[in-house]
Amino acid sequence: MNTSTSKSTPSHAARAVLSDPYLLRRKARMLADAVPQLSPQGALYSAFLRGNHGRRKAGSGDSFWQFRTYAPGDPASAIDWRRSARSDGTFVRQYEWEAARDVWIICDMGGHMHFSGTASGPTKAEQAGVLAVALAHLFTRGGERVGLFGFSERPLAGKYGTDMFAEKIVDAGGGVQSGRIPQDLTQFAPPGPGTYTLWLSDFLSPIAQLRQRIRAVSRAGTTLHMVQILDPSEETFPFDGRIQFEGPSRTDGHLIENAADIKARYLRRLARHQDEVSDAAREVGAQLLRHRTNRSLTPTLIALTAVMENR
């Protein structure tokens, strides 16, 4: 019978990526640049990331919105003479108001995220950090403003915004691990109406608590998208024999005499939890994607940006 210990301990690679902003930016940019559909040279780039987005009302922009009857005070340059010539009235051409989006990313860096089922594999926190910075790179390159929820005063645009985002990811990881920053970022006031929120986590919190947090974020008026990041061993439970499981604090360990005896019960409980997470997201109209840490982040990156554009 095997005797082993499962620990929520970051790998050396994860520690390096989450402690070095330059390395984190480089890895995230490699991920973003490996997506041809989303690169400036890609045919679908403008379709996915337009920078300015229609607000379904008249205002400044390049897209035609509607004609309306000329009113005193309207400038002569706004008159559409061709449309006016086809009727007895005078008409003004209006354009749709377009503006960049404010995108907030909630990147869970709690101790439970610093887990890898293998000594050389990436942790959930590493994958979340790389994905978050890659998204920031793509969106700022497309003209959007991006902020790290709980750590950014306001969303920033351009290369400076991406660089600052990576700095804050590293600061967040170190702050949560040291206890300087609370693990539960959702205790901060949620993003306001008209914003977009991407929430990266393993979502393994008790379902009642998680559902309450999801509802609180959604009620603020932001458009919510969720990415659940799990280690393969959390989904398959490949453990056998006598095993000591240790939590992030290493004070809440649990000794199992024969892991195989609880595997079926564990998998049923996980399946039920996953269904409940899906239901909680569906209740508020949030999109939920799932990612395994042993798989490439590229499909998840493509799917997430596509979902944000409702494609």
Side-chain angles (χ1 to χ4, degrees), residues 10-12 116-121:
S11 66
H12 293 294
S116 175
T118 61
S120 60

Side-chain angles (χ1 to χ4, degrees), residues 53-58 65 96-97:
H53 305 272
R55 299 297 187 178
R56 308 298 296 173
K57 62 193 299 185
W65 178 243
E96 184 178 11
W97 177 38

Side-chain angles (χ1 to χ4, degrees), residues 120-168:
S120 60
T123 64
K124 294 182 288 184
E126 178 191 12
Q127 294 270 276
V130 172
L131 180 60
V133 179
L135 286 164
H137 179 66
L138 286 176
F139 287 122
T140 55
R141 191 170 66 184
E144 317 291 6
R145 296 182 293 264
V146 182
L148 182 62
F149 182 72
F151 301 92
S152 300
E153 293 183 4
R154 58 186 174 84
L156 298 174
K159 183 179 181 300
Y160 175 74
T162 306
D163 290 347
M164 287 299 296
F165 193 93
E167 297 273 359
K168 291 183 180 299

Side-chain angles (χ1 to χ4, degrees), residues 102-121:
D102 283 348
V103 181
W104 287 98
I105 298 180
I106 304 175
C107 190
D108 191 346
M109 285 289 165
H112 54 98
M113 292 290 288
H114 292 267
F115 170 78
S116 175
T118 61
S120 60

Side-chain angles (χ1 to χ4, degrees), residues 156-259:
L156 298 174
K159 183 179 181 300
Y160 175 74
T162 306
D163 290 347
M164 287 299 296
F165 193 93
E167 297 273 359
K168 291 183 180 299
I169 285 284
V170 170
D171 184 57
V176 169
Q177 287 291 85
S178 66
R180 177 169 51 88
I181 298 171
Q183 292 195 28
D184 182 12
L185 300 181
T186 56
Q187 66 180 271
F188 296 102
T195 62
Y196 289 74
T197 300
L198 309 181
W199 191 349
L200 315 180
S201 177
D202 59 10
F203 299 116
L204 293 181
S205 304
I207 191 61
Q209 183 184 69
L210 181 60
R211 183 177 284 111
Q212 183 180 17
R213 292 168 179 168
I214 292 173
R215 288 173 177 172
V217 173
S218 179
R219 277 197 300 266
T222 187
T223 300
L224 178 62
H225 302 281
M226 301 163 57
V227 180
Q228 185 181 38
I229 302 174
L230 292 177
D231 187 272
S233 63
E234 293 175 317
E235 292 189 305
T236 61
F237 200 79
F239 307 107
D240 189 19
R242 190 171 188 266
I243 186 168
Q244 173 79 22
F245 290 96
E246 292 184 359
S249 65
R250 300 193 180 185
T251 60
D252 51 354
H254 191 68
L255 177 65
I256 302 295
E257 291 296 337
N258 187 3

